[in-house]
Amino acid sequence: MTQSLRNVLPNIGDRWRGMSRRFPLHGNGVIVLLLALAALHLFGYQRMDLVVFALAVCAVTIVLITMVLVFGTGIWLRHRLQAELARPLPGRELEAGYAAATGFELPAMPWLPLMELRWQVVSPDNMPTRIRQDENSGRLTEFITPPRRCRGESLQRDFTLSDVLGLARFTWRTRQQVRLTILPRTGKLQQLPALRTMDAADGIPGQTGTPVGDRMDIRRYAAGDSVRDIMWRVYARTRHLNVRLPEKSLFHSDRTLAYLIADANDEAAAGVARFAVENGLLGENWLLGCDGSQETANTVTRATTLIAGSRRPQQPPGYGLDHFMESNQGAGNACVVFASAHQGPWCQAFLDTINRQKSPFTLVLATDAFDSDGQRPWWQAVLMADKADSHYDKDSLQSVSRLFAKRCERVIVIDRDSGQSFDPYWKKV
């Protein structure tokens, strides 16, 4: 029963918002109209108060005339703006959290009779919209501030024409073609620890590597061993056949695999992944995959596009790390995984992947500013606006990082707001 209510309530809210947009009166207009009708009925007719009767009639008349003028002007204006909105805009690449122009302009309309035209971008994401008037041309220019990363092929706007008194309004929705790519912000990130995956090669000794390092291991000769590995000097002295074998070691792999796990609080992880790609922290030869797409990228341009498209405002992307690993087994088994430091459904899915793949993973947990005690002061909650991502307390971050500390080859926690990096036990890296 509870689950059904959760599914029904959003639909009711969407329908109510859709009906309220089509209603020709603002809240002020509804209040003025109801008060005027009540005064007209109680005082104008029942008590025959002529002063109240005249004022109430004037108020009702003003509301009705304003509603008719706004409604008629809105229909005419919607028809006039069709030509402007039919022209596609050039592609734009923006960054979340920063205001930028979309390229959409309209001529100034000082001739509107005591009316105001404004609009809001509602798709591919609900974005704060500001309209500035150019001093030279006098045209109205649109600026948007994307809250989070996303991709879209069009911009959907809600236009609203209202009177200066706030009594009546006329709202309509339009769509304009534009290829929009909104990248996650990188915050104060300036440097990161080396994120390249370790693979078998002549390098750092490690039990998870393969025997291709220096010839350090010694054991008795067995059938099938190469005669080149026999220690002949030892045989001449002791008459025992021993062989010297290369030790197991790790080194940077020829190709680095990287993957971004999408989640409800993954904006910081996407920003860290973008920073790593653009600054060459994955090495020269790398391959990146993201939730929401089965495609992979090995160039900066394509990778940033995949990162931006890994978030879908309408529907959550599916978990695809297993498919990515199975499709690129030939490129190397080790993988750098970018994920949210917030505990969520991705944790169990990633644990299942670790158990199935049996491959070494480097996990990068990213977050924005967190509170040491888990709670923000009340005055900050009142006076300061929240950011796109939630604040995390230190205990929650430690529980997530230590959950994977023994299951992954390496775990790094990165705070995007400060640019600092930590290990699972909160020592700076």
Side-chain angles (χ1 to χ4, degrees):
M1 183 65 180
T2 304
Q3 186 65 28
S4 62
L5 287 176
R6 291 178 181 177
N7 296 332
V8 171
L9 288 179
N11 296 331
I12 296 177
D14 294 339
R15 292 181 181 179
W16 172 257
R17 284 189 292 268
M19 293 175 60
S20 63
R21 285 197 303 267
R22 296 181 178 89
F23 192 67
L25 290 178
H26 271 299
N28 296 339
V30 174
I31 293 174
V32 170
L33 185 60
L34 292 178
L35 290 178
L37 292 176
L40 186 64
H41 176 71
L42 296 176
F43 298 95
Y45 287 110
Q46 292 185 1
R47 299 186 182 182
M48 296 301 294
D49 191 330
L50 297 181
V51 176
V52 176
F53 179 84
L55 293 176
V57 170
C58 290
V60 173
T61 304
I62 291 174
V63 172
L64 294 179
I65 292 177
T66 302
M67 184 176 63
V68 172
L69 288 176
V70 170
F71 191 79
T73 307
I75 293 178
W76 175 80
L77 194 60
R78 181 178 62 178
H79 177 74
R80 180 181 176 182
L81 295 180
Q82 285 182 354
E84 295 282 349
L85 296 168
R87 293 182 298 201
L89 295 175
R92 285 287 191 275
E93 184 176 278
L94 311 179
E95 186 171 358
Y98 296 93
T102 62
F104 177 65
E105 296 182 352
L106 286 179
M109 304 174 188
W111 43 266
L112 286 176
L114 299 178
M115 299 179 191
E116 178 186 14
L117 177 66
R118 62 182 184 275
W119 63 87
Q120 171 82 23
V121 175
V122 296
S123 178
D125 211 351
N126 196 358
M127 306 178 190
T129 307
R130 289 186 297 172
I131 297 96
R132 298 179 183 176
Q133 186 171 1
D134 188 84
E135 297 180 356
N136 299 325
S137 62
R139 295 177 65 86
L140 303 177
T141 305
E142 177 186 71
F143 286 81
I144 60 174
T145 305
R148 304 186 65 181
R149 76 187 189 280
C150 65
R151 288 184 62 200
E153 300 295 329
S154 64
L155 280 178
Q156 199 169 16
R157 302 180 180 91
D158 278 350
F159 283 83
T160 301
L161 179 68
S162 59
D163 63 292
V164 294
L165 298 177
L167 300 177
R169 66 179 177 184
F170 179 79
T171 303
W172 71 96
R173 179 166 292 184
T174 62
R175 185 180 295 274
Q176 188 174 23
Q177 296 298 320
V178 56
R179 187 180 297 274
L180 195 66
T181 302
I182 300 174
L183 303 177
R185 65 181 181 89
T186 57
K188 296 183 180 179
L189 295 175
Q190 295 182 355
Q191 59 182 0
L192 294 177
L195 298 178
R196 295 182 61 187
T197 53
M198 304 298 290
D199 202 356
D202 186 10
I204 304 173
Q207 294 299 319
T208 59
T210 55
V212 290
D214 295 333
R215 295 181 178 273
M216 302 291 292
D217 294 337
I218 300 175
R219 64 170 174 81
R220 288 294 183 91
Y221 175 83
D225 290 337
S226 175
V227 294
R228 296 181 179 179
D229 297 333
I230 297 176
M231 303 171 64
W232 293 109
R233 292 184 179 179
V234 176
Y235 174 75
R237 186 172 62 253
T238 64
R239 313 305 292 179
H240 293 294
L241 286 175
N242 295 325
V243 293
R244 189 186 299 273
L245 300 176
E247 66 174 347
K248 295 182 178 180
S249 63
L250 296 173
F251 197 65
H252 290 303
S253 60
D254 294 335
R255 168 173 286 188
T256 300
L257 296 181
Y259 194 85
L260 172 62
I261 298 179
D263 189 67
N265 302 281
D266 64 348
E267 195 67 15
V272 174
R274 176 196 169 192
F275 182 84
V277 167
E278 292 180 342
N279 291 272
L281 300 179
L282 300 178
E284 296 182 357
N285 191 8
W286 49 270
L287 192 68
L288 176 75
C290 299
D291 280 348
S293 175
Q294 295 186 357
E295 300 180 4
T296 57
N298 55 7
T299 62
V300 175
T301 303
R302 181 57 186 159
T304 54
T305 303
L306 278 182
I307 292 173
S310 61
R311 175 181 175 265
R312 299 179 181 179
Q314 290 78 14
Q315 58 181 359
Y319 180 79
L321 180 57
D322 289 326
H323 176 77
F324 175 77
M325 295 296 294
E326 293 171 0
S327 302
N328 299 279
Q329 284 288 340
N333 294 328
C335 182
V336 178
V337 177
F338 300 92
S340 167
H342 189 278
Q343 192 167 6
W346 72 270
C347 294
Q348 185 59 47
F350 185 48
L351 286 175
D352 295 339
T353 299
I354 294 175
N355 296 330
R356 282 192 297 265
Q357 297 295 332
K358 305 297 182 181
S359 302
F361 287 93
T362 297
L363 179 61
V364 179
L365 298 173
T367 176
D368 286 325
F370 56 88
D371 304 319
S372 58
D373 58 355
Q375 295 181 352
R376 302 177 65 193
W378 65 269
W379 58 270
Q380 288 188 7
V382 174
L383 299 179
M384 300 176 64
D386 288 334
K387 298 183 180 180
D389 291 320
S390 303
H391 289 259
Y392 305 109
D393 61 276
K394 198 170 184 177
D395 294 337
S396 176
L397 284 171
Q398 287 181 340
S399 64
V400 176
S401 59
R402 293 178 181 178
L403 174 65
F404 297 100
K406 296 181 179 180
R407 294 174 173 85
C408 295
E409 183 180 34
R410 190 182 183 191
V411 176
I412 305 173
V413 181
I414 298 176
D415 183 7
R416 183 175 61 164
D417 275 0
S418 65
Q420 297 178 344
S421 303
F422 306 88
D423 66 4
Y425 304 97
W426 291 100
K427 295 180 180 179
K428 287 187 178 181
V429 178

